[in-house]
Amino acid sequence: MRSDVATLPGSPERPNEDWAAAALPASGAGGTVILLDGVTPPAGDDGCVHSVPWFTARLGGALTELSASRPDMPLPEILSAAIRRTAEAHRDTCDLSHVRTPQATVVLARWDETSVEHLVLSDSALLLEAPGGSVRAVLDDRLDRVPDEILRSLEATDRLRNREGGFFTAAADPSVAARAVTGTTPRAEVRALAALTDGASRWVDLFGAGDWTECFGVLRTEGPSGLLRRVRALETADAEAGGVRRWKTHDDATAAYAELRDL
């Protein structure tokens, strides 16, 4: 496996809340990629004494250890166990029932000689490239289905957070793992893969600079750092032109890219 990861904070005044890792099992026969996008809470109480980076590091660490060491566990079970482990780490100090308790989007991909498993929860993206060069995007589009006028209201958004008819993130409830978008692809049908937080996928889904196949081409030739540089240039140009594409000019942006070992 050849892997590359890059990340940029949305603002120098705030810590980067994204988290990513790539790991190989001791046998070398396969690998795993993990990507989290921490959900920035609005100002005010969220019931927790810990920061979002604390949460994503704990959850990401648990996901990395379990996905690399427990090939017998399906990815939803791994996510459920990692959420439970992270919740136990701060249950005694924090109100985990609070709707804004620290939470994150999740992308998990794991492969061996026969198959590539995937799991996507909320609005980060997973891209799977076939040997012929075609690219399939695995997306959880439930947040995209929420109207902008609702997302502009904190109270209205909270009513849909981790609720039926709304959208789901990894927070403190292990059962949310069953809500993730999951699947398995034959190993021979995947040459490479990439995971993008929504700050990186803006190149496609916000600015329309290219489609997912063209995005993957940027990752292959320029690496994740090249994609992030392109995103920042588009954001800056849009802001200077007076555009209002989103409520944040820049967002934390992370991209992970992995070329799978030849069969």
Side-chain angles (χ1 to χ4, degrees):
M1 179 185 78
R2 181 175 77 85
S3 65
D4 190 7
V5 178
T7 187
L8 289 174
S11 167
E13 285 78 39
R14 292 183 58 88
N16 192 333
E17 295 170 340
D18 290 351
W19 197 95
L24 288 172
S27 67
T32 183
V33 167
I34 304 95
L35 181 100
L36 306 179
D37 183 353
V39 177
T40 304
D45 180 41
D46 62 7
C48 187
V49 301
H50 301 97
S51 66
V52 174
W54 177 93
F55 174 80
T56 53
R58 287 281 184 141
L59 181 62
L63 289 169
T64 303
E65 187 266 312
L66 290 168
S67 62
S69 68
R70 293 293 305 273
D72 57 307
M73 291 178 67
L75 295 186
E77 289 185 19
I78 285 173
L79 177 56
S80 180
I83 292 172
R84 184 178 298 106
R85 182 185 296 182
T86 304
E88 289 304 320
H90 65 141
R91 188 178 303 282
D92 293 339
T93 57
C94 306
D95 177 13
L96 303 189
S97 67
H98 197 292
V99 69
R100 296 177 192 164
T101 192
Q103 51 204 269
T105 73
V106 180
V107 174
L108 275 175
R110 183 176 64 180
W111 62 94
D112 57 21
E113 298 97 329
T114 61
S115 63
V116 179
E117 303 169 78
H118 68 256
L119 178 151
V120 177
L121 186 67
S122 200
D123 61 348
S124 291
L126 175 67
L127 307 180
L128 301 175
E129 185 191 43
S134 62
V135 175
R136 174 164 63 99
V138 181
L139 307 171
D140 175 358
D141 66 353
R142 282 170 289 198
L143 182 58
D144 293 335
R145 292 185 230 148
V146 179
D148 287 343
E149 57 269 23
I150 291 179
L151 295 177
R152 283 192 285 267
S153 166
L154 297 178
E155 293 77 13
T157 301
D158 283 346
R159 287 194 290 271
L160 294 178
R161 192 184 303 278
N162 289 316
R163 298 286 190 276
E164 286 295 341
F167 60 96
F168 296 90
T169 58
D173 180 6
S175 70
V176 77
R179 308 292 186 178
V181 175
T182 60
T184 302
T185 305
R187 168 67 183 81
E189 296 179 12
V190 181
R191 178 172 68 183
L193 58 84
L196 311 174
T197 62
D198 67 339
S201 66
R202 285 179 166 196
W203 193 81
V204 173
D205 54 28
L206 181 62
F207 293 106
D211 60 20
W212 292 118
T213 300
E214 291 166 318
C215 180
F216 211 97
V218 173
L219 289 164
R220 179 178 292 282
T221 58
E222 302 177 26
S225 295
L227 176 64
L228 299 192
R229 285 193 296 269
R230 287 177 175 237
V231 170
R232 286 293 186 259
L234 289 167
E235 292 169 335
T236 299
D238 184 63
E240 290 174 349
V244 184
R245 297 295 189 112
R246 287 190 67 170
W247 52 90
K248 290 190 253 185
T249 300
H250 302 299
D251 194 5
D252 295 341
T254 301
Y257 172 80
E259 292 180 357
L260 280 58
R261 184 170 60 89
D262 290 339
L263 293 171

